[in-house]
Amino acid sequence: MSRTISPSILSAQDIVVRYGPQTVLKNATLNVHQTDRIGLIGSNGSGKSTLLKIIAGMMQPDSGSISRRRDIITGYLAQDCQLDSTKSVYENIVDGAHDVIDIIREYESLPPTSEKRHILEEQIHHRDGWNLENRIETAMHSLNVPEKHRTIDSLSGGEKRRVVLCKAVISRPDFLILDEPTNHLDTQSIEWVEEFLENYSGACLFVTHDRYFLDSIANRIVELSNGECTSHDGNYNDFLLDKAEREAQLETEEQKRNSFLRRELAWVRRGARARRTKAKSRLKAYFDAVEQKGPETTEEVELIIPPPSGLGTTVLNLKNLGIELGGKKLFNRLEFKFDKKRKLGIIGRNGLGKTTLLKIILGELQAATGEVVVGERTVFNYIDQSRLALNDENTVIQELGDGREWIMFGEERMKVWTYLRRFLFADDRMNTKVGKLSGGERSRLLLAKVLKNGGNFLILDEPTNDLDLTTLRVLEEALVAFNGCVIAVSHDRYFLNRVCNGILAFEGDCKVHFSEGDYDYYIEKRNVREAEASAKVNTSVAPKKQELRAKVQPNKLKWKEAKELESIEQDILNAEAEVERIEKIFASPDFYEKHGDQTVSLTAELSAAKAIVDRLYTRWHELEELQS
């Protein structure tokens, strides 16, 4: 796939990073161009976050060089939430645009005759500085950021994450670096981030495990493997096709090499003497082929779920469930009946009651109304969202085996180390304390620990967080093959499409909607419902217009006033249509990208249009009074 190469804004050459005896980055090289949307992928622990920190200037490599375009402005979203606990949510977000604010303050401090004002004005315009307040409000709403006045210490991990993301995007930097931007975001917020990046004029380098996000945003994929970067043009799907072709070619070459070695080995064993030049050349070619390394294979998690016991006639029935927490009603009259093959995806904005429903099903919370009927043969197995089920002081092998060398896997015995190796834990990592594991390793250990317990009804709360793309695919395949029930709360659209055959959507205002099929089918049906609802609203406006027509009946007025009253209805409707047109421009999600430089003029137009409507209504009432 060919693409136009835009000017380079950053070049990282031969980056090396070592942690003790381990080399994380080995001569990693990456060039970033002005229009790049680079998805950086690789297994957990491969060094992705380390490379992002170096490129963002937050960390120095052991060797190698970084060159940047002069005066480039970089925005960086780290995995760890770096916020000022002494400031409010709003103050932290505004800090993300401090450089823009500084430019505006300098501009306003200069006399009107200063030549520098023109330079600063161009910079403000480029950064959309005059619209900063509106952009902050839009981003906070779209990302479901907590209230402005909240303190940082009062926020959950997910809330902090949304604040940091909002802080990173509002400054409109030239180069945006995002480490897991979709973590802890609901699908609507993820879609807003996608739309923002699609219209974003700068370069972007991001790490994410959201495959929809990669396909939608990336125009280039960089794979980090064995400490080195390999670049592929196109999105994630293009990368997979390219990689499959490359691996097939390598496999063909390896087969040819092995076939050559078998033939030449037979020749050597027959006692060939290297006395002649031809024989020496042939013998050298044989030993050269022996010394060549075959293609490196990537180990994959061998994720296994114990065969579930059979489910009974009644699996799980939710009857008229309702609950209120902290004075807020989350849902009521929720009804659902599970069959034996149901794999249910639960979606919706954070705080609408998804995890609360899981706790009610598991008996950890009591519903205010209704009941949960659990079948006699239903055995739950729960993977929790918080990952608090692990003891940081235990070693990996202690955490899984509870001091025993064997575990029961279904009805069979299996050695603990054998089971852990299936989840890609090498012998040295098995004796590592849980608290020193990476996020991906913790997730794999949690999966290993919970899945060994079996059960015929799996409940997973955000199971895809912190898993690399390879482990995600294996988890999906295991769940698809699982011969039992599954509930999965997830914002990963790709995961929902692959695994789920039903979607339970928490849509806000106590509305919970069930849709058969996968996530894409739910979205299709939701759009139809919203279009029908919008049509009903438009229909309800018509009687008001008819009422207006009925009232405007000229009587006992001067000829000029009577003619004015006859036409004023249409004038009012036209004026209101103009107000509606401008308001739709302001409400469009791509307003700041398409019309950001027209904000002042459009605001003036809107004010003038509303003034015309007010004047016409005032005149209409005057004419009505004259007529009566």
Side-chain angles (χ1 to χ4, degrees), residues 554-566 619 623 626-627:
N555 185 28
K556 296 180 182 179
L557 295 171
K558 295 179 181 179
W559 181 84
K560 187 176 181 180
E561 291 171 337
K563 297 299 291 182
E564 183 182 0
L565 187 56
E566 283 180 6
R619 179 57 177 162
L623 294 172
L626 284 172
Q627 179 178 265

Side-chain angles (χ1 to χ4, degrees), residues 161-181:
R161 186 77 178 160
R162 293 196 291 277
V163 173
V164 174
L165 178 57
C166 189
K167 177 181 177 180
V169 300
I170 56 100
S171 65
R172 293 289 179 89
D174 304 306
F175 182 27
L176 197 53
I177 302 172
L178 305 173
D179 197 351
E180 296 290 359

Side-chain angles (χ1 to χ4, degrees), residues 393-599:
E393 296 305 314
N394 282 341
T395 64
V396 171
I397 203 162
Q398 288 171 340
E399 184 68 16
L400 189 81
D402 295 321
R404 296 186 295 269
E405 293 184 5
W406 302 84
I407 61 170
M408 291 305 299
F409 188 77
E411 298 181 356
E412 300 178 2
R413 284 208 316 168
M414 181 183 293
K415 281 191 173 183
V416 172
W417 69 269
T418 301
Y419 182 69
L420 281 171
R421 286 183 70 85
R422 295 183 179 218
F423 286 82
L424 295 188
F425 284 99
D427 292 346
D428 60 328
R429 298 303 284 172
M430 292 184 197
N431 291 313
T432 301
K433 285 196 173 184
V434 172
K436 295 186 178 295
L437 298 179
S438 68
E441 287 174 322
R442 288 180 68 90
S443 296
R444 292 205 308 271
L445 177 58
L446 186 70
L447 284 173
K449 182 178 179 180
V450 177
L451 292 177
K452 74 180 176 65
N453 295 329
N456 51 25
F457 199 125
L458 300 181
I459 298 180
L460 307 99
D461 197 356
E462 296 291 357
T464 62
N465 280 356
D466 299 318
L467 296 181
D468 57 41
L469 295 171
T470 301
T471 307
L472 272 175
R473 178 177 57 77
V474 177
L475 174 61
E476 288 164 355
E477 291 172 355
L479 290 175
V480 168
F482 179 65
N483 192 26
C485 279
V486 176
I487 294 178
V489 175
S490 180
H491 302 310
D492 188 319
R493 296 157 291 177
Y494 194 95
F495 175 89
L496 291 166
N497 276 341
R498 282 206 68 191
V499 173
C500 299
N501 55 25
I503 300 294
L504 192 66
F506 285 68
E507 298 180 335
D509 297 326
C510 292
K511 296 177 183 176
V512 182
H513 181 83
F514 173 72
S515 172
E516 285 284 358
D518 60 15
Y519 175 80
D520 283 347
Y521 187 70
Y522 158 73
I523 292 297
E524 179 184 333
K525 291 299 181 183
R526 187 195 67 182
N527 291 341
V528 171
R529 283 189 287 121
E530 290 178 351
E532 291 173 349
S534 177
K536 288 180 181 179
V537 170
N538 292 336
T539 303
S540 68
V541 174
K544 294 180 181 178
K545 294 181 179 179
Q546 292 173 0
E547 182 182 347
L548 182 62
R549 291 192 186 96
K551 288 182 179 179
V552 185
Q553 295 296 330
N555 185 28
K556 296 180 182 179
L557 295 171
K558 295 179 181 179
W559 181 84
K560 187 176 181 180
E561 291 171 337
K563 297 299 291 182
E564 183 182 0
L565 187 56
E566 283 180 6
S567 62
I568 202 168
E569 170 201 2
Q570 189 60 48
D571 292 341
I572 289 173
L573 294 176
N574 291 341
E576 288 180 333
E578 177 64 9
V579 170
E580 185 179 357
R581 181 189 71 81
I582 300 172
E583 286 180 338
K584 281 183 177 178
I585 294 175
F586 275 104
S588 62
D590 56 356
F591 170 78
Y592 295 110
E593 288 72 25
K594 289 186 176 180
H595 309 284
D597 57 345
Q598 300 175 314
T599 302

